[in-house]
Amino acid sequence: MTRHTARASDLDPDLVLRAYAMGVFPMSEHRDDPSVFWVEPRQRAILPLDGFHLSRSLRKTLVADRFRITADTAFEQVIALCAESAEDRPDTWINPAIERVFTALHRRGFAHSVECWDGDRLVGGLYGLALGRAFFGESMVSRARDASKVAIAALVARLRLGGFTLLDCQFMTDHLASLGAVEIPRDDYLSLLSDSLGEGAAGLAAAAGGVASVSADFGALDRLGASGALPPTTSPPVSGKVIAQLLTHTS
């Protein structure tokens, strides 16, 4: 893994967009670390959108509508929950500088969240960055059983419907592997990234300036009900039944 340390004050939205377009992303050593470092893994975890593993138990949880699933309704709450310490994760790599820059990117329409609710309580979700037809998953969190699995299932359905071609998971975990994630070498990843941002070097160059030469639609799933293809009550929030249907039909 290649890494370069930088001052947290150097983080700004345009710099972060350029970094992601080149396959690099920021992290910190711990929540209170005043600095950040730029990471470029030699082996990159991705989740092929046509290779998502919808297990019987996860499908059952989705169809039961155990959680209310929304997107971009509580971005700051999701990233704060991801940054929060928990019994199974006493520290995190999300420091205040990373939290601030992603909140700014959300306000500019690049960063997005998926939320899982139990009533009015946020019990899980994830957030990440969308650029071109690539989505870079940053962090996921669960405060209720299966909440993070439901969030990533909802994300995959959303990305498929919106025309995305790459879901970057950064580092492999057992949790991600169980959902269909795989590891690929850096060069293979950069090739997929290039295709997701546009044609070759031109696409990378355009995305490095904050505008990819191709684009996908993160909000397509939210408008699905209004189009008449599904009952209007599914948008928003989109029901787990609809997400399970989309994942089953596109598998």
Side-chain angles (χ1 to χ4, degrees), residues 95-147:
N95 68 2
I98 291 173
E99 202 169 344
R100 281 194 300 271
V101 78
F102 270 89
T103 299
L105 285 165
H106 172 64
R107 290 171 182 161
R108 287 176 55 175
F110 288 102
H112 300 280
S113 60
V114 173
E115 303 93 20
C116 289
W117 306 85
D118 182 359
D120 293 329
R121 178 173 168 250
L122 181 67
V123 294
L126 56 84
Y127 78 96
L129 180 74
L131 189 59
R133 293 189 300 237
F135 189 88
F136 308 89
E138 286 297 301
S139 185
M140 67 177 74
V141 63
S142 185
R143 293 291 185 267
R145 184 177 178 180
D146 293 333

Side-chain angles (χ1 to χ4, degrees), residues 17 126 164 197:
L17 290 175
L126 56 84
F164 287 81
L197 298 179

Side-chain angles (χ1 to χ4, degrees), residues 21-45:
M22 296 185 293
V24 182
F25 56 89
M27 297 182 71
S28 67
E29 290 287 359
H30 52 80
R31 173 65 177 162
D32 298 321
D33 189 353
S35 64
V36 297
F37 55 91
W38 296 100
V39 183
E40 187 180 15
R42 292 188 177 90
Q43 293 289 317
R44 195 78 165 227

Side-chain angles (χ1 to χ4, degrees), residues 169-186:
C169 301
Q170 299 179 346
F171 299 109
M172 180 63 82
T173 66
D174 291 342
H175 179 54
L176 288 170
S178 72
L179 296 170
V182 297
E183 275 190 324
I184 60 174
R186 178 192 299 166

Side-chain angles (χ1 to χ4, degrees), residues 57-78:
S57 61
L58 179 53
R59 188 181 188 284
K60 185 176 179 180
T61 299
L62 285 166
V63 169
D65 276 326
R66 195 168 125 208
F67 302 109
R68 179 167 58 92
I69 306 163
T70 58
D72 285 343
T73 64
F75 182 89
E76 292 185 41
Q77 287 176 257
V78 169

Side-chain angles (χ1 to χ4, degrees), residues 39-57:
V39 183
E40 187 180 15
R42 292 188 177 90
Q43 293 289 317
R44 195 78 165 227
I46 65 166
L47 204 167
L49 294 173
D50 60 356
F52 180 75
H53 179 226
L54 181 64
S55 66
R56 289 183 180 179
S57 61

